[in-house]
Amino acid sequence: TRDPLGWFAAMQAAMPLKPPLLAWLGQFFVPIGVMTRDVEFGLLFVSILAHTATLFLVFLTVRRLTDTDWRPAVLAVLLTASAPLFVGTSHQFLTEPLQTLVVTVSMYLATISRELRWPRVVLYLTLLFFIALSIKTTTFIYCGPFWLIAVIDLLTAPNKTAASRNERRNDQILLA
């Protein structure tokens, strides 16, 4: 349908109880599949982009946690990319790549939250909350510890030294 309201109503009728983000994103990549004469390739492009963004954010997160040393970050990317579940989800049109991406964004937010102003952290947490809700309801279980770390960083007293806050935050992230 070409009517945006008709499209929304059609999506609600097709998937009344399922989180809609994967289907919504998939519709934007169908034209790629039409151009390549393989609609499945267009749909799998969502997974490819999600995996690429996930690996990039794993690199950035580990690099921040290891004081900008790139070797552990590259090792973390290689370990993540070679994990059987990570590889397996790249071959099917599933919600797990998007869920992994949201968890990785949450982890990255936990590493940078102390450097951001509180309105921006609240905005990011709110966006992540609604994106996670539109992907899969179990995403909260995986994102929750990182969101909690970001909130704790918001609530910490400003009179503590940056070094002790960094050490405590790194310990919290590794425990999560």
Side-chain angles (χ1 to χ4, degrees):
T1 182
R2 295 176 190 259
D3 177 30
L5 294 177
W7 173 82
F8 187 73
M11 289 300 295
Q12 287 291 53
M15 302 180 330
L17 299 177
K18 293 184 179 182
L21 188 62
L22 183 64
W24 288 355
L25 287 176
Q27 291 187 12
F28 290 107
F29 290 95
V30 167
I32 293 173
V34 170
M35 287 188 303
T36 61
R37 297 181 193 259
D38 186 10
V39 175
E40 187 175 336
F41 173 77
L43 294 175
L44 289 177
F45 205 68
V46 174
S47 296
I48 293 168
L49 289 177
H51 281 313
T52 303
T54 297
L55 292 174
F56 179 69
L57 284 168
V58 164
F59 179 83
L60 291 179
T61 302
V62 174
R63 191 164 178 196
R64 282 180 125 346
L65 290 174
T66 58
D67 297 326
T68 67
D69 188 8
W70 61 271
R71 289 174 295 226
V74 169
L75 180 62
V77 168
L78 291 174
L79 287 173
T80 304
S82 66
L85 187 59
F86 192 82
V87 173
T89 58
S90 67
H91 295 79
Q92 299 174 1
F93 189 58
L94 299 171
T95 60
E96 280 72 13
L98 292 174
Q99 185 179 27
T100 305
L101 178 60
V102 169
V103 172
T104 310
V105 170
S106 299
M107 190 183 332
Y108 183 68
L109 178 63
T111 63
I112 65 169
S113 61
R114 66 165 170 43
E115 299 169 7
L116 301 174
R117 294 180 174 213
W118 72 267
R120 185 168 285 195
V121 174
V122 171
L123 173 68
Y124 291 156
L125 286 172
T126 304
L127 286 173
L128 284 171
F129 176 81
F130 287 110
I131 291 171
L133 183 65
S134 67
I135 292 175
K136 200 172 185 181
T137 55
T138 58
T139 307
F140 299 107
I141 296 169
Y142 307 112
C143 293
F146 302 113
W147 294 348
L148 186 61
I149 291 168
V151 170
I152 288 171
D153 276 347
L154 280 178
L155 300 176
T156 53
N159 59 359
K160 294 190 177 183
T161 64
S164 67
R165 284 176 54 194
N166 285 344
E167 290 172 9
R168 188 186 80 249
R169 182 181 44 79
N170 288 349
D171 292 342
Q172 292 168 343
I173 291 170
L174 290 176
L175 284 175

